[in-house]
Amino acid sequence: MLWSSYLVLFAKKILERLKIDGKALLFSVLFITFSPHMIYLAIQVNNDPLALMLLVGAVYFALEWYKDPDSKKIVYTALCIGCAMMTKLSMGLVAFPVGWLFLVKLIKTVKANKEAKDRKPALKTKDLIKQFVFFAVVVFPLGLWFPLRNLIGYGVPVTYVYAIDSSAKMDVWMYSPLQRLFLPSQEILKTPFLL
């Protein structure tokens, strides 16, 4: 419940950063808070709530960094992404939108530095590159240490997912989504968790 509560707080801060306020903010926060998935996350006893909270935290800190780039905010972003990847490797997908923010900021900074020939630029391109290197130094070891440990020590591929035996009751690969939703067979109906 703690992680899903923090997730809601980060989501509220993101909405405020996007300049959503008043009734729209209230409705959005209530929608996030009382969505069925959030209620489900609050009672889960696994790593999903923590992973999602860190993912939303990474987006929040990346937006904060974009507004005012400094090393502290980029470290918080790297810590959130690295810990999210340590919790669940698929959370590394947040690196794509965060990387896009980094790229946009870099392009804007380079453009602003070219236009500011006579005066000192507010943010130098080399300072931004240093922050990106610092980000990589934090996020890669933190996010990839466990999969690399398993690869080196035990030969387990980095993206390994435990295979489900085809005789397992929960395996539904042989049914299309159309069959699962609209034309369930007697076998699907006998097994309660397949739908």
Side-chain angles (χ1 to χ4, degrees):
M1 188 172 149
L2 177 68
W3 304 132
S4 60
S5 299
Y6 280 137
L7 192 155
V8 170
L9 290 175
F10 277 130
K12 180 181 180 284
K13 288 181 173 282
I14 289 171
L15 292 168
E16 290 171 344
R17 170 65 47 226
L18 298 174
K19 299 192 184 337
I20 296 173
D21 59 358
K23 289 182 180 178
L25 178 65
L26 178 65
F27 175 78
S28 300
V29 171
L30 287 174
F31 182 78
I32 292 167
T33 303
F34 294 108
S35 68
H37 189 69
M38 289 301 296
I39 294 167
Y40 178 67
L41 278 179
I43 61 170
Q44 274 186 315
V45 186
N46 66 7
N47 59 351
D48 290 349
L50 176 61
L52 286 173
M53 185 272 299
L54 289 167
L55 181 134
V56 175
V59 171
Y60 167 71
F61 286 119
L63 289 172
E64 286 292 311
W65 173 87
Y66 185 80
K67 180 187 171 207
D68 180 26
D70 68 358
S71 299
K72 184 178 173 184
K73 292 173 188 164
I74 206 163
V75 167
Y76 287 151
T77 307
L79 286 172
C80 282
I81 293 175
C83 290
M85 287 176 64
M86 189 171 27
T87 305
K88 227 174 161 78
L89 195 58
S90 63
M91 292 296 118
L93 291 173
V94 75
F96 291 108
V98 169
W100 179 257
L101 274 178
F102 289 174
L103 181 63
V104 169
K105 191 62 162 181
L106 179 64
I107 291 169
K108 285 186 175 184
T109 302
V110 169
K111 186 177 177 182
N113 287 344
K114 284 183 181 178
E115 291 173 359
K117 293 179 182 176
D118 297 335
R119 62 192 198 306
K120 186 178 176 184
L123 180 65
K124 295 180 182 176
T125 306
K126 68 177 184 175
D127 293 336
L128 206 54
I129 299 293
K130 285 179 187 176
Q131 287 185 17
F132 294 157
V133 170
F134 195 55
F135 173 84
V137 166
V138 172
V139 79
F140 285 118
L142 198 57
L144 296 175
W145 76 268
F146 190 71
L148 291 177
R149 168 197 169 266
N150 291 341
L151 176 68
I152 294 166
Y154 307 104
V156 177
V158 173
T159 57
Y160 177 75
V161 177
Y162 183 73
I164 297 175
D165 187 347
S166 61
S167 66
K169 295 271 188 193
M170 298 287 289
D171 191 13
V172 294
W173 69 269
M174 70 285 286
Y175 303 108
S176 70
L178 180 67
Q179 286 175 308
R180 283 181 250 165
L181 294 173
F182 302 111
L183 305 168
S185 68
Q186 288 302 315
E187 187 177 334
I188 290 178
L189 292 174
K190 283 188 235 175
T191 310
F193 298 109
L194 291 183
L195 294 174

